[in-house]
Amino acid sequence: MSEHQRVVVAQHDTARGTLASYVAGYIFAVYLTVTAYLAVYNHLFSNTVLTAVIVGLALVQFIVHMLFFLHLGRETKPRWKLAVALFMIMVVVVLVGGSLWIMSNLNSRMTPTQQNNYMNNQQGI
Amino acid sequence: MSSSAITQADDSKPILGFWIYIMTDCVLFASLFATYAVLFRNTAGGPSGYQLFNLKNVLAETLILLTSSFTCGLAMLAAHRDDRKQTLFWFAVTFALGIAFLAIELTEFRHFVVTGNSWRRSGFLSAFFTLVGTHGLHITIGLMWMVILMWQVLKRGLSRSIIKRLTFLSMFWHFLDIIWIFIFTIVYLRGAIAP
């Protein structure tokens, strides 16, 4: 019984942030935001590399926010929040990646005239 | 002590429930991001993001929203310390920053519309207004929610159920900041790289 209570207390306490975690998260996030901004503002790399760099910085900042502001790393087992978050990431990857894949494929296989004819014939648009 | 610890820990279930709601809202935004990514080159002869966006304003918006996320965290720390004055103060700061963010965003929207670049102009602008507008709508709802909770803190103090509601609001607010990071990167910074 006492063991059970101790576990419950631990779970409760670790779900919250501390001043140090909020300050650290804020400093990291400002640093990442300003870095991405300056990289684009000064056009530091070629277009493709620059796009990859800012998307990378956004993903790092996503992790920083999840850990320091939403306290995902402080969760004790069983890690349900983490499980739901990972499922969400999977759905997002399938949704966004799949849409871009299908649409770029369609784009490269059909000329605009073909697309218009197809829509006229098939869907009456 | 031990009984209060157990009843407080019971809040972990509703908090998980709210967390699941937030994750599904991420999926809503993901579909809007996918729509934007497919349509952003379709300007139909109208302006692209390269011509339209003012990066300095957007950086200001980003830093304002980020700071509001931080002050929201400070408000939650004060709430857990049972410090009503500090809680109200930091939520008031968060609210003011949220209003400032919304004001800059609506000024930008108004500027686009009066110069003939509303959502009716092109596929790009339809997708832009839908994505950024949905985020703005979430911010508006968050601000209204914040006013209601500040009123409740003022009238009823920091009871356990009110702290639970404040926790939901703070999770919602941090989540909106995360969505904004991706709008900042994918819509505005990506738009500023190349025409």
Side-chain angles (χ1 to χ4, degrees):
Chain A
M1 181 64 195
S2 72
E3 170 123 4
H4 172 67
Q5 281 176 359
R6 206 173 62 225
V7 169
V8 165
V9 171
Q11 196 174 27
H12 178 66
D13 283 340
T14 50
R16 285 183 203 165
T18 60
L19 183 59
S21 76
Y22 282 118
V23 171
Y26 183 59
I27 292 170
F28 275 141
V30 169
Y31 178 76
L32 290 163
T33 300
V34 173
T35 306
Y37 174 81
L38 289 178
V40 171
Y41 194 77
N42 298 316
H43 219 107
L44 288 184
F45 311 101
S46 69
N47 289 352
T48 321
V49 178
L50 200 49
T51 307
V53 166
I54 58 170
V55 170
L57 288 170
L59 291 175
V60 174
Q61 202 174 341
F62 168 73
I63 295 168
V64 166
H65 279 247
M66 281 294 200
L67 293 180
F68 290 92
F69 289 160
L70 286 166
H71 324 302
L72 195 58
R74 289 164 169 267
E75 193 184 24
T76 48
K77 284 183 181 177
R79 299 174 182 271
W80 285 114
K81 279 175 147 187
L82 183 65
V84 180
L86 290 175
F87 182 70
M88 176 277 284
I89 291 168
M90 190 192 81
V91 172
V92 168
V93 168
V94 171
L95 185 64
V96 177
S99 300
L100 288 175
W101 187 11
I102 291 169
M103 294 312 287
S104 74
N105 205 298
L106 186 70
N107 218 19
S108 64
R109 280 168 192 271
M110 288 176 120
T111 63
T113 323
Q114 272 180 322
Q115 284 178 26
N116 284 338
N117 288 343
Y118 180 84
M119 285 197 286
N120 280 333
N121 294 338
Q122 300 295 316
Q123 287 152 14
I125 297 171
Chain B
M1 158 62 201
S2 60
S3 77
S4 91
I6 285 172
T7 48
Q8 281 186 349
D10 281 344
D11 286 347
S12 67
K13 268 186 196 163
I15 286 173
L16 177 64
F18 196 76
W19 178 263
I20 293 172
Y21 153 68
I22 284 178
M23 295 298 113
T24 57
D25 223 8
C26 284
V27 174
L28 164 75
F29 276 105
S31 62
L32 297 178
F33 273 111
T35 312
Y36 179 83
V38 166
L39 289 177
F40 86 100
R41 286 192 185 85
N42 302 4
T43 53
S48 65
Y50 190 75
Q51 289 146 324
L52 280 180
F53 299 147
N54 178 343
L55 266 199
K56 278 180 185 150
N57 274 356
V58 181
L59 180 68
E61 278 182 279
T62 308
L63 293 177
I64 286 171
L65 202 61
L66 191 56
T67 309
S68 85
S69 210
F70 175 62
T71 56
C72 181
L74 296 183
M76 285 316 293
L77 290 176
H80 285 302
R81 282 199 311 269
D82 202 24
D83 188 337
R84 198 200 295 202
K85 248 186 177 172
Q86 288 263 318
T87 309
L88 283 172
F89 172 74
W90 286 118
F91 269 119
V93 173
T94 310
F95 182 82
L97 290 167
I99 291 285
F101 170 85
L102 212 54
I104 299 177
E105 180 158 279
L106 289 176
T107 310
E108 185 195 36
F109 281 5
R110 186 179 168 278
H111 176 70
F112 288 176
V113 171
V114 295
T115 50
N117 298 314
S118 73
W119 48 89
R120 300 171 66 179
R121 183 68 189 83
S122 63
F124 154 66
L125 281 163
S126 299
F128 167 82
F129 274 102
T130 310
L131 173 58
V132 183
T134 304
H135 179 269
L137 191 64
H138 276 74
I139 292 278
T140 311
I141 292 168
L143 288 173
M144 294 190 312
W145 189 5
M146 209 177 286
V147 170
I148 293 166
L149 283 189
M150 279 161 72
W151 178 254
Q152 290 188 344
V153 171
L154 197 67
K155 284 285 155 192
R156 293 160 55 183
L158 291 163
S159 68
R160 199 173 70 81
S161 74
I162 292 203
I163 288 186
K164 187 171 79 185
R165 290 172 207 175
L166 292 175
T167 307
F168 293 160
L169 174 64
S170 72
M171 288 163 73
F172 186 69
W173 201 253
H174 293 314
F175 149 72
L176 290 182
D177 197 20
I178 291 177
I179 298 295
W180 182 260
I181 296 165
F182 288 98
I183 293 181
F184 175 64
T185 304
I186 291 170
V187 175
Y188 290 103
L189 289 184
R190 173 63 189 80
I193 287 178

